């Protein structure tokens, strides 16, 4: 009787081990199927006009009498302000900085061969949403020269900066487009590999970047987003 009980127990144990092995193998197969994924990137790009312009206008004067030089530079600043108001800018959009004065005699480096002791630089900065007005006024700076204002020819420091601040408005649509483009790439991969595209496993939106369309049109911005998505694949 005891031998019969041991035999039955051994049989039940063997069946249990076999069943456990089957279910474990089935679970492993499903796990391996779930581990099959494809990672793709989706790109979305749009062009938008800048909606803010920051334009520094620098002007210079040399001289030997400091008081007279400052007075002349203040007059130049008034001419620049009048010029800008005449082209549609409000006084609130203009900032006049104090003059920066260099005393060449106080410079201990090298020899000063200039006949002028001082060089004074004035600055009027335009901060405006009138981007086209800035672009138009830039082409008319020669009018200031006719009034005796020497506008600085330093291209970098006098270059207008254009900014696009409407990212929040375009962000949802661009994320949607990037995700749609990524899925298109993933579907093509699944088709080529005789698989079926499943659900998203992970998704990384990535960062938005805003840059000039090219060096000649800094007032037109290109907005870009690259999203990275990982999809499950199934047979």
């Amino acid at each position: 009787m005891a031998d019969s009980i041991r035999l039955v127990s051994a049989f039940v144990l063997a069946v249990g081990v076999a069943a456990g092995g089957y279910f474990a193998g089935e679970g492993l197969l499903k796990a391996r199927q779930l581990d099959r994924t494809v990672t793709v990137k989706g790109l979305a790009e749009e062009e938008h006009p800048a909606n803010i312009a920051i334009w520094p206008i620098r002007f210079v004067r040399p001289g030997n009498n400091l008081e007279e030089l400052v007075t002349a530079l203040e007059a130049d600043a008034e001419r620049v302000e009048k010029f800008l108001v005449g082209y549609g800018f409000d006084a609130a959009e203009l900032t006049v900085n104090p003059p920066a004065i260099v005393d060449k005699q106080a410079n201990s480096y090298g020899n000063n061969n200039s006949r002028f002791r001082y060089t004074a630089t004035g600055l009027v900065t335009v901060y405006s949403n009138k981007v086209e007005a800035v672009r138009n006024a830039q082409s008319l700076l020669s009018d200031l020269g006719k009034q005796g204002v020497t506008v600085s020819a330093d291209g970098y420091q006098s270059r207008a900066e254009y900014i696009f601040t409407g990212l929040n408005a375009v962000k949802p649509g661009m994320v949607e487009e990037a995700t749609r483009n990524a899925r298109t790439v993933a579907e093509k991969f699944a088709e080529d590999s005789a698989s079926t595209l499943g659900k998203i496993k992970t998704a990384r939106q990535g960062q938005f970047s805003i840059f000039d369309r090219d060096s000649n049109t800094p007032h037109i911005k290109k907005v870009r987003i690259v999203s990275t998505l990982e999809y499950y694949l199934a047979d």
Side-chain angles (χ1 to χ4, degrees), residues 189-209:
F189 180 90
E191 179 184 348
D192 292 343
S193 60
S195 302
T196 301
L197 191 66
K199 295 181 179 181
I200 294 175
K201 181 181 180 182
T202 60
R204 295 187 297 276
Q205 176 182 293
Q207 292 185 338
F208 279 86
S209 58

Side-chain angles (χ1 to χ4, degrees), residues 17 74 234:
V17 171
E74 289 175 347

Side-chain angles (χ1 to χ4, degrees), residues 50 136 150 184 202:
N136 291 334
T150 305
T184 298
T202 60

Side-chain angles (χ1 to χ4, degrees), residues 43-204:
L43 170 68
E45 285 186 340
E46 293 182 359
E47 289 184 0
H48 294 278
N51 60 323
I52 294 291
I54 304 174
W55 180 27
I57 302 175
R58 285 180 167 79
F59 43 97
V60 297
R61 271 192 181 272
N64 291 312
N65 185 297
L66 185 58
E67 183 178 350
E68 292 178 355
L69 180 60
V70 171
T71 300
L73 202 68
E74 289 175 347
D76 285 345
E78 291 177 0
R79 293 186 184 97
V80 173
E81 287 185 276
K82 185 177 180 180
F83 164 82
L84 292 170
V85 170
Y87 283 104
F89 297 100
D90 301 326
E93 297 175 299
L94 311 179
T95 301
V96 181
N97 290 68
I101 300 174
V102 175
D103 184 350
K104 297 179 182 178
Q105 287 187 7
N107 186 353
S108 59
Y109 300 98
N111 296 320
N112 177 25
N113 297 320
S114 172
R115 63 190 182 94
F116 296 110
R117 174 177 176 176
Y118 302 104
T119 299
T121 303
L123 173 64
V124 176
T125 302
V126 181
Y127 185 99
S128 175
N129 59 6
K130 301 168 185 173
V131 174
E132 287 305 312
V134 168
R135 297 185 63 231
N136 291 334
Q138 281 183 303
S139 64
L140 298 169
L141 279 178
S142 59
D143 290 352
L144 286 172
K146 295 175 183 178
Q147 299 177 45
V149 180
T150 305
V151 178
S152 173
D154 189 328
Y156 179 77
Q157 290 190 339
S158 301
R159 183 178 61 184
E161 179 183 1
Y162 298 97
I163 302 172
F164 173 66
T165 62
L167 180 59
N168 286 339
V170 303
K171 185 183 294 184
M174 293 189 66
V175 170
E176 181 180 351
E177 181 183 354
T179 302
R180 185 169 55 249
N181 291 341
R183 185 172 184 85
T184 298
V185 175
E187 287 174 341
K188 176 61 176 174
F189 180 90
E191 179 184 348
D192 292 343
S193 60
S195 302
T196 301
L197 191 66
K199 295 181 179 181
I200 294 175
K201 181 181 180 182
T202 60
R204 295 187 297 276

Side-chain angles (χ1 to χ4, degrees), residues 223-235:
V223 184
R224 173 184 292 174
I225 174 67
V226 178
S227 295
T228 303
L229 293 92
E230 185 180 9
Y231 289 90
Y232 286 111
L233 291 175
D235 293 331

